[in-house]
Amino acid sequence: MMMVSYLVTSIAVLCLLLMSNGSNAEQADKLEQLNSALWQLKKQADYSRKGADTCLRCHDNSGSFPVLDIFAGKHGDPNHPQSPFVHLQCETCHGPIGDHDARRLAEGESREDMFTFGNSGNLTADEQNQICLDCHQQQQAHWEFNPHAQSNQTCTSCHSIHQANDRMLQAESQAQTCGSCHQQQLAQTKLASTHPIASKLMSCNDCHSQHQKPLQTPTLNQTCYQCHADKQGPRLWPHQPVDEDCSTCHEPHGSQHKPMLTQQSPFLCQQCHGGVSHAGVVADKDAFLSNDNAATLLFNRGCVNCHTQVHGSNHPSGSGLQR
Amino acid sequence: MRRLALLLFCFATSTCVEAAGFKGDKADQVKLERWQCAFCPFQQTPNSVTFNLRHLPKQAQQLRNQLGQQSQTDVGLSAQWRKTSEQSGQWQAQTTQLGFDSFSASASWRSNGQQKIAMSYRQLSQNLSTMQTSPYGGWSSGQVSLPDNWQPQDQQQNFDRSDWQQPRLDGLVWRQLMLDASYPISERLLLSLQWQQQQREGYRPIAVNQLVQSTQLMSPVDEKWQKLALDLDLDFTQWDAGISYQRHRFDNKLTTFGYDYAFVGFANLTRGESALAPDSEGNVVSGYFSVPLERGNFYLTAGVSEHSQQQTLLPYSTNSELDSSLPQPTWHADTQVRWSKLRAQHWLNSKTRLQFNYQWQSQQLEAPQVIWQPVINDVYRAEEQPNPYYDRQFGRLELLMRWRSDSGNQLTTGYRSHHKYWDWTEQSNKAYQQDYFTSFHGKVGKSSRYDFSLTHSDQQSSSSIPDRFSGLVTHFYPMLSKQSDRLSVRLHSPLTSRIALSWHGFGQHTDFDNLYFGLESQRSVGLGSEIGWQLADNMQAEGSANWSQHRSVNALTAPGNFYQTDSTTRYWRFAWQHQDLFDKRFDWGLSFERNLSRQELDIAMATVSDSWSPYQGSWYSLALNSGYRLSRKQQLQVTLRHDKAYHYSWQQDLNYSNQINDLIALDSSNQAYRITLLQLSWRYQW
């Protein structure tokens, strides 16, 4: 396996060196191909004479899309060196004004478009995101591999620019924002056994990295160990699925089964321990168990009533994970 | 070599590109000095302080997931404070829920978005149920005990619960303190430092066993975890890279947990002892490298972590007749995990791209292999056996192609293979899984869209695990060979400009290659629907309904003799929200939410069948909030919220003392809660 790994890595690095050209000419060509007609139009357009003062003659908080709250956030901060308002103001993102502010329009004629953002924006997702990523370069390096990028999400699908508080940067609203698409996960946070997400004591990006890789750490288990350090081991008597993948048994977004188990005990355990000994004898209490009573291995915490150290034991007598 | 030289040249000569957004060809002609922005209503983030006086019954502890507020007193006072300044850079400080059980505070200072120092602290309580009682005492000592007058119960007798007591209710408290700083050494080089400490203190429910008799207890928790991370990020136009070092340490003040046996036991055997997680420490070094290619990009990350622990071992047994000397008094172990991930993407044309992902991970356990003679349940001495000594490797390779049309339709198809490999020194175990998958994301009209995905998986495993591992866990943990198919469909369509409807469904079937006992097959199907309705500009409603069924078939005693388990889950949710402005000073809102879930379990065997009591969960919340602006700087707010929850499950902590032998459970016979929160808030802003 290790040899295969080194081989694959070596081939990939070799391909990288052969394909890299040290400049971004081809990358730029690719972006040019993606550019829409509006993008090309704005590329040539004139900028306004007075910047934001030109825009604010018409755009204020009275329309269907109030804009003035941008001045309560970072993007409207004139003291921040990377703020659009230190550069080309509104036209930094919405493109040069061109004929958009034409005083008189003939009947049936519509005003020239400016760039608009979001799912109903008039640019492609790649074009919209390119404008944001031009400043937010730290996110650029990994964005194109991100599932969000690959499903045509735009930055403004999640982020709110013309608001004082970006909904993605507030723990109170982040789960709701993510949950507008990830509805199943949002619903799970309201089940009987969950992380404290619904109560705003945790947020999605405590575990997930929205711009880069799916998780904050390279592996799922390492993400869990960030808080559950006592589960890391090594153990004198390990339980193999624990070292492999926490999600084998746990559903981190929430479950009906405490503590966030993917299936109730003993059925969860039986997916591996299904064939022998008492673990396989589940089922009908009247048929198998005396006194019309069920046994500890079926009820309550099921198998864990006895195999308490299910994450692995450090006891010399803990080979059965019982102590 | 030439390419490498070019890369190094780029590293040395790259200059900073000023942030610009979209830059038209005529951007350089703009005379920014004339753009006065005279009408821009620049604002400074307001400072504010809020005081909350609230009445909340103790029962709210059991609704913490829904309420987000926990309390051990009926009446409480809390405060929130937020302060921002732009003098000497920007700084901000904030506290929330000061005075309630859960508390958080943060402060940060930034200089032009570059240098940053931040501190945050938060506290989270996992309170226990007020309904739980137990005969045990001495919770804080790590050695819980039964009262002197306790008569060990025979399993044929009922328990006398008249003198059982309520354990402490403050449960487990998590505290997290984090310090974060970043400093740009140059325009291209960013140095970040993070220190984090988590502390957990309190009690955690645990079960302990004595033969087949089991008792639920509260295990004391007093542990601390610290992490120090140092990151160095290089950001260039042609590529970027980073290297990270982490050191973490876990300290557990309690490494053992002792308890009295509640039942009649072996002669003179009255106590048991479990081992908890020992102290440990680790180091992680990782790095990444990302570069754009001619028609794509490339990303590589790799790292290595090592983790070690040293522990003092407990005796084999509390039963002196079965205890014997340990082969060694301590056990030292190291694990080393190495991983690499490689991703490359290549555009064939503007619509089609290929993606290649490869992930590899290896874990090596470096610990002395010792022949142990463990004792099972303080009665039986087990056969001699060595502790497992194994190395594990995992690899995943993924090739996929994505095609996207001009109209936004997207087709993804690919192949994925997983390899798992365990080296048991004398033998090895392998599992190999192949997935074929395809998905289509389509658009109908302007706003309707649908998703379709189909996956076929085939896992083959060598089932041989060395017989010498006679421990229950290692002996009975085969990776079953199996074949699985999964189909899922999702349709989202706005019926009108105010109503959006989505439907989804899935089906999955798995066949296990199980020649004798155990799991034969699993089948899952599910359907669901969500609706969102913007009833008016200030009123919205949401609803969802889900149904799923899971069936597993096990071979019971011989091939052809099966038992079948059907688990059916239904889930409904409805939420309604209204917010209105009565006049310029007075606003009010009303919201309602209700969740219902039900799970049924049916078991069928060759001759008999049985249905178990269904699991049911219900929660509803009705909230009224109203705000009144006293002046430009002051605001009053009143919140009245009523919540009711009901949970029943045969798996949860019910009162089994008269229903089931062999088990002492923490009593929680009533899982229905009804609470009302009243909160009065005053906010001052300047």
Side-chain angles (χ1 to χ4, degrees):
Chain A
M1 180 71 79
M2 191 181 295
M3 288 300 294
V4 174
S5 172
Y6 288 147
L7 185 63
V8 170
T9 306
S10 303
I11 292 171
V13 171
L14 186 63
C15 293
L16 162 74
L17 294 176
L18 291 172
M19 294 167 73
S20 175
N21 62 358
S23 74
N24 279 344
E26 291 294 332
Q27 179 79 356
D29 288 347
K30 184 196 73 186
L31 284 172
E32 289 293 332
Q33 292 170 11
L34 291 173
N35 295 339
S36 63
L38 180 61
W39 183 282
Q40 298 297 344
L41 175 69
K42 289 296 180 187
K43 200 74 179 167
Q44 310 292 328
D46 291 323
Y47 282 81
S48 64
R49 293 182 62 190
K50 294 185 177 179
D53 286 339
T54 308
C55 308
L56 295 176
R57 286 184 311 188
C58 299
H59 296 282
D60 54 19
N61 272 2
S62 62
S64 59
F65 187 79
V67 299
L68 297 184
D69 280 349
I70 194 174
F71 295 107
K74 288 280 190 299
H75 288 88
D77 182 355
N79 299 313
H80 197 295
Q82 292 171 314
S83 161
F85 276 80
V86 178
H87 299 281
L88 295 168
Q89 301 182 359
C90 308
E91 292 161 84
T92 304
C93 302
H94 294 282
I97 197 164
D99 291 332
H100 179 74
D101 66 339
R103 294 291 172 96
R104 293 179 181 175
L105 295 175
E107 188 175 346
E109 191 179 10
S110 60
R111 199 169 289 280
E112 181 182 307
D113 281 342
M114 299 293 287
F115 292 158
T116 57
F117 295 84
N119 293 335
S120 57
N122 55 14
L123 293 176
T124 66
D126 283 339
E127 289 168 346
Q128 289 185 39
N129 293 340
Q130 190 58 40
I131 292 171
C132 303
L133 293 171
D134 209 35
C135 295
H136 295 272
Q137 293 175 3
Q138 195 171 0
Q139 281 77 36
Q140 186 171 23
H142 315 285
W143 173 250
E144 288 182 342
F145 286 119
N146 189 278
H148 288 135
Q150 293 170 352
S151 58
N152 279 349
Q153 296 301 311
T154 68
C155 302
T156 51
S157 298
C158 304
H159 292 284
S160 306
I161 311 303
H162 285 266
Q163 287 183 5
N165 297 311
D166 187 346
R167 54 191 168 158
M168 278 302 288
L169 302 183
Q170 312 296 317
E172 294 80 5
S173 51
Q174 190 186 80
Q176 290 297 327
T177 306
C178 300
S180 62
C181 292
H182 302 279
Q183 294 168 346
Q184 181 185 347
Q185 284 76 12
L186 181 64
Q188 285 176 312
T189 65
K190 299 185 177 181
L191 296 177
S193 180
T194 72
H195 281 111
I197 298 167
S199 55
K200 286 95 178 172
L201 296 169
M202 273 184 74
S203 55
C204 304
N205 67 359
D206 282 335
C207 301
H208 295 285
S209 173
Q210 293 89 341
H211 297 129
Q212 301 175 9
K213 56 255 180 197
L215 294 169
Q216 291 283 11
T217 63
T219 67
L220 173 70
N221 280 24
Q222 285 180 346
T223 302
C224 302
Y225 296 151
Q226 300 287 312
C227 292
H228 303 278
D230 55 314
K231 306 296 186 296
Q232 180 156 348
R235 309 279 182 167
L236 179 58
W237 306 101
H239 191 195
Q240 289 179 38
V242 177
D243 289 339
E244 288 170 16
D245 191 340
C246 302
S247 66
T248 303
C249 301
H250 294 283
E251 170 47 70
H253 297 107
S255 164
Q256 301 278 38
H257 317 299
K258 294 179 180 179
M260 288 185 272
L261 295 174
T262 55
Q263 179 63 282
Q264 56 214 131
S265 175
F267 306 113
L268 171 64
C269 308
Q270 288 181 324
Q271 294 191 11
C272 292
H273 305 276
V276 285
S277 188
H278 54 266
V281 185
V282 147
D284 183 77
K285 56 190 180 189
D286 296 320
F288 284 97
L289 300 165
S290 61
N291 304 325
D292 288 339
N293 285 324
T296 52
L297 57 91
L298 304 184
F299 271 83
N300 200 256
R301 295 171 192 277
C303 310
V304 185
N305 278 330
C306 295
H307 301 281
T308 58
Q309 306 299 309
V310 72
H311 292 104
S313 173
N314 290 291
H315 196 293
S317 286
S319 61
L321 309 188
Q322 290 168 300
R323 62 186 73 191
Chain B
M1 204 60 191
R2 177 173 165 272
R3 300 292 179 194
L4 186 60
L6 275 173
L7 279 175
L8 292 172
F9 177 78
C10 296
F11 177 87
T13 58
S14 295
T15 56
C16 177
V17 176
E18 192 177 59
F22 179 83
K23 199 168 183 181
D25 293 344
K26 298 178 181 176
D28 294 338
Q29 300 170 16
V30 173
K31 295 178 179 174
L32 285 175
E33 65 275 12
R34 293 183 183 175
W35 287 23
Q36 298 296 320
C37 216
F39 300 111
C40 298
F42 292 118
Q43 299 173 26
Q44 187 178 355
T45 307
N47 309 313
S48 65
V49 61
T50 306
F51 290 99
N52 309 302
L53 177 66
R54 60 105 180 87
H55 178 271
L56 183 65
K58 287 181 183 176
Q59 278 193 328
Q61 296 163 23
Q62 297 145 12
L63 287 169
R64 63 181 183 273
N65 286 337
Q66 286 84 8
L67 267 183
Q69 300 194 44
Q70 300 144 42
S71 171
Q72 290 173 15
T73 57
D74 288 344
V75 179
L77 179 68
S78 72
Q80 292 164 285
W81 178 68
R82 182 171 175 160
K83 171 78 176 167
T84 307
S85 173
E86 292 181 358
Q87 303 299 319
S88 305
Q90 293 183 337
W91 66 269
Q92 177 176 300
Q94 185 172 3
T95 65
T96 57
Q97 292 191 313
L98 180 64
F100 286 176
D101 289 357
S102 294
F103 167 73
S104 69
S106 63
S108 63
W109 174 84
R110 291 171 186 267
S111 174
N112 295 330
Q114 298 292 321
Q115 300 166 39
K116 182 185 78 171
I117 299 175
M119 182 281 290
S120 68
Y121 173 81
R122 63 178 175 177
Q123 184 173 307
L124 164 64
S125 296
Q126 281 183 289
N127 291 336
L128 303 173
S129 167
T130 54
M131 302 294 177
Q132 294 181 325
T133 58
S134 171
Y136 282 89
W139 301 102
S140 59
S141 64
Q143 301 288 325
V144 296
S145 56
L146 290 162
D148 294 337
N149 61 354
W150 176 264
Q151 297 295 319
Q153 301 295 300
D154 186 273
Q155 63 175 348
Q156 298 301 321
Q157 294 179 325
N158 290 329
F159 296 107
D160 175 13
R161 296 173 51 250
S162 59
D163 58 349
W164 288 24
Q165 297 177 349
Q166 203 173 52
R168 285 177 53 169
L169 295 174
D170 48 359
L172 194 61
V173 180
W174 296 57
R175 298 183 183 91
Q176 183 187 53
L177 176 64
M178 192 185 296
L179 300 173
D180 195 358
S182 60
Y183 178 78
I185 296 173
S186 70
E187 291 172 334
R188 298 295 188 187
L189 201 59
L190 180 68
L191 180 67
S192 305
L193 183 70
Q194 188 194 71
W195 177 80
Q196 186 183 156
Q197 175 176 299
Q198 289 180 16
Q199 187 174 6
R200 276 171 292 183
E201 195 174 4
Y203 306 90
R204 168 192 294 142
I206 188 174
V208 297
N209 77 299
Q210 179 191 1
L211 287 174
V212 295
Q213 299 147 328
S214 186
T215 307
Q216 283 192 43
L217 297 174
M218 287 291 156
S219 170
V221 177
D222 189 354
E223 57 197 26
K224 187 170 67 177
W225 178 75
Q226 291 175 302
K227 183 181 84 167
L228 178 68
L230 187 67
D231 298 315
L232 192 63
D233 291 288
L234 296 155
D235 182 11
F236 284 84
T237 309
Q238 283 79 19
W239 57 273
D240 69 301
I243 188 166
S244 171
Y245 169 74
Q246 288 181 18
R247 179 168 179 78
H248 55 89
R249 177 172 178 79
F250 175 74
D251 291 299
N252 195 350
K253 287 187 179 177
L254 301 166
T255 52
T256 67
F257 173 54
Y259 43 86
D260 283 350
Y261 281 139
F263 299 92
V264 174
F266 195 73
N268 301 322
L269 188 61
T270 58
R271 288 186 66 78
E273 200 161 31
S274 289
L276 304 177
D279 294 350
S280 63
E281 58 185 17
N283 297 285
V284 183
V285 178
S286 63
Y288 71 87
F289 175 71
S290 174
V291 61
L293 305 177
E294 187 174 341
R295 300 186 68 83
N297 41 26
F298 172 89
Y299 176 74
L300 173 69
T301 180
V304 59
S305 73
E306 58 175 20
H307 193 79
S308 64
Q309 67 178 41
Q310 173 80 38
Q311 66 182 105
T312 302
L313 297 173
L314 295 169
Y316 274 128
S317 171
T318 53
N319 182 351
S320 57
E321 295 186 23
L322 292 176
D323 193 19
S324 58
S325 60
L326 293 167
Q328 57 187 60
T330 59
W331 191 68
H332 175 82
D334 295 298
T335 49
Q336 189 182 71
V337 179
R338 287 175 288 170
W339 72 87
S340 62
K341 283 184 180 178
L342 182 152
R343 288 178 285 188
Q345 192 166 235
H346 179 69
W347 269 266
L348 294 174
N349 53 52
S350 61
K351 295 177 182 174
T352 312
R353 54 183 154 169
L354 298 175
Q355 187 169 327
F356 170 81
N357 297 327
Y358 181 72
Q359 179 182 353
W360 172 80
Q361 186 175 326
S362 162
Q363 178 178 353
Q364 291 181 308
L365 176 66
E366 298 169 7
Q369 197 170 24
V370 181
I371 302 296
W372 304 91
Q373 195 175 26
V375 172
I376 304 296
N377 285 326
D378 293 307
V379 177
Y380 307 111
R381 195 192 303 272
E383 294 177 2
E384 288 186 345
Q385 57 181 306
N387 53 300
Y389 174 78
Y390 69 90
D391 295 342
R392 178 179 65 87
Q393 292 192 29
F394 165 79
R396 183 173 69 183
L397 182 137
E398 188 176 64
L399 284 169
L400 55 93
M401 185 189 75
R402 294 181 189 277
W403 172 84
R404 191 172 65 195
S405 72
D406 292 333
S407 57
N409 296 326
Q410 184 169 306
L411 173 70
T412 303
T413 184
Y415 165 80
R416 184 189 301 126
S417 75
H418 309 254
H419 302 261
K420 283 184 179 179
Y421 175 79
W422 297 270
D423 183 359
W424 300 78
T425 309
E426 296 172 1
Q427 282 181 264
S428 61
N429 181 233
K430 295 178 183 176
Y432 178 60
Q433 180 178 336
Q434 297 179 91
D435 300 335
Y436 303 89
F437 57 92
T438 186
S439 66
F440 188 75
H441 173 84
K443 281 187 173 179
V444 180
K446 193 171 182 180
S447 305
S448 297
R449 57 183 190 268
Y450 60 94
D451 296 281
F452 163 88
S453 70
L454 182 65
T455 305
H456 171 76
S457 299
D458 186 351
Q459 176 176 291
Q460 298 298 324
S461 171
S462 62
S463 59
S464 61
I465 289 183
D467 291 337
R468 63 188 176 83
F469 298 118
S470 58
L472 285 171
V473 175
T474 51
H475 188 64
F476 301 135
Y477 180 60
M479 287 289 296
L480 296 175
S481 296
K482 60 184 179 182
Q483 294 81 43
S484 177
D485 293 290
R486 180 181 174 88
L487 168 70
S488 70
V489 179
R490 185 172 191 91
L491 172 66
H492 176 84
S493 175
L495 297 179
T496 69
S497 61
R498 289 183 175 272
I499 302 176
L501 185 68
S502 64
W503 296 87
H504 57 89
F506 76 94
Q508 180 168 354
H509 181 85
T510 306
D511 277 324
F512 295 87
D513 295 345
N514 209 353
L515 298 178
Y516 200 51
F517 299 125
L519 202 60
E520 293 287 327
S521 67
Q522 287 183 332
R523 188 203 69 183
S524 298
V525 290
L527 288 172
S529 177
E530 292 102 26
I531 185 168
W533 191 352
Q534 190 76 36
L535 297 159
D537 289 344
N538 56 359
M539 190 189 302
Q540 60 188 19
E542 295 175 355
S544 66
N546 289 282
W547 170 87
S548 63
Q549 188 181 58
H550 176 85
R551 168 175 290 180
S552 67
V553 177
N554 284 44
L556 186 57
T557 54
N561 187 358
F562 300 114
Y563 69 86
Q564 174 179 301
T565 306
D566 287 324
S567 172
T568 305
T569 305
R570 296 178 177 87
Y571 179 78
W572 301 267
R573 176 174 177 264
F574 173 75
W576 175 86
Q577 191 174 15
H578 176 78
Q579 197 77 27
D580 207 355
L581 199 64
F582 192 76
D583 62 24
K584 289 183 179 178
R585 284 174 173 267
F586 180 62
D587 66 85
W588 67 279
L590 189 64
S591 63
F592 174 79
E593 180 167 351
R594 173 133 204 202
N595 294 340
L596 286 164
S597 63
R598 180 184 173 92
Q599 185 173 27
E600 295 160 358
L601 201 64
D602 299 301
I603 299 168
M605 300 180 60
T607 56
V608 293
S609 62
D610 196 9
S611 294
W612 293 30
S613 303
Y615 173 108
Q616 294 183 81
S618 167
W619 171 60
Y620 76 75
S621 172
L622 180 65
L624 173 68
N625 63 75
S626 174
Y628 184 74
R629 201 169 66 183
L630 297 168
S631 67
R632 289 177 63 88
K633 293 185 175 180
Q634 296 182 70
Q635 188 172 10
L636 275 178
Q637 187 153 14
V638 178
T639 303
L640 179 65
R641 177 171 167 166
H642 182 75
D643 282 75
K644 182 183 176 185
Y646 173 79
H647 291 291
Y648 170 79
S649 166
W650 51 264
Q651 194 194 344
Q652 288 188 351
D653 301 336
L654 297 173
N655 175 14
Y656 294 131
S657 52
N658 289 318
Q659 302 174 27
I660 175 173
N661 294 329
D662 312 336
L663 176 69
I664 293 180
L666 293 167
D667 182 15
S668 181
S669 57
N670 183 359
Q671 293 272 343
Y673 314 122
R674 187 194 295 270
I675 60 137
T676 302
L677 162 73
L678 176 63
Q679 179 168 294
L680 180 66
S681 302
W682 172 75
R683 183 169 191 253
Y684 181 76
Q685 179 176 310
W686 73 98

